Amino acid sequence: MPRDETCRFTFDDAVLHVEGDLDVTTRGRFGALAEEVRRDGGDLVIDMSGVSFVDSSTLTVLLRLRTTQRSAGHDLVLRRPSATVTEILRLSGLDTVFTIDPAGHQGLPVL
């Protein structure tokens, strides 16, 4: 299980689980792990229920992943985003861009 100083990443059943802060110090590892999971094919699901902080560099990574997924005919699903993530997405206007699954129903996108 990879571990960064302020963020923990785990994955199971093609879902990347993230806990802690997603910022400029963790975005590289986050992007690399998401890319690794994405290469398995299908929709990329990122469980963000344990994320306590997100900065603009992470939003850039998420937008890049979404573009890559869409180009491959798949989706990027943000599963159970924490209140912090939900608010950042809303304030940035990205809550209407990403597929958000607030209840953890993988495969049933909710906007």
Side-chain angles (χ1 to χ4, degrees):
M1 175 181 327
R3 184 164 180 80
D4 282 34
E5 189 172 310
T6 60
C7 199
R8 186 171 70 129
F9 305 97
T10 58
F11 31 131
D12 60 47
D13 298 327
V15 176
L16 177 60
H17 301 268
V18 185
E19 295 178 18
D21 296 349
L22 283 173
D23 58 24
V24 70
T25 63
T26 58
R27 74 167 183 226
R29 184 73 177 143
F30 169 62
L33 287 170
E35 194 62 38
E36 186 178 319
V37 173
R38 186 195 72 72
R39 284 191 193 114
D40 289 339
D43 290 349
L44 172 58
V45 179
I46 302 174
D47 187 313
M48 302 189 82
S49 59
V51 175
S52 53
F53 178 81
V54 173
D55 71 0
S56 61
S57 68
T58 301
L59 295 179
T60 301
V61 170
L62 289 170
L63 286 167
R64 180 182 47 79
L65 288 166
R66 179 186 177 274
T67 299
T68 303
Q69 282 295 99
R70 291 285 172 106
S71 295
H74 301 293
D75 201 3
L76 168 64
V77 179
L78 304 181
R79 178 189 280 179
R80 297 182 317 183
S82 66
T84 299
V85 173
T86 299
E87 184 67 4
I88 293 294
L89 292 173
R90 186 187 68 74
L91 290 171
S92 64
L94 294 174
D95 59 333
T96 61
V97 171
F98 290 108
T99 300
I100 299 173
D101 179 8
H105 295 84
Q106 182 178 351
L108 300 174
V110 179
L111 297 178

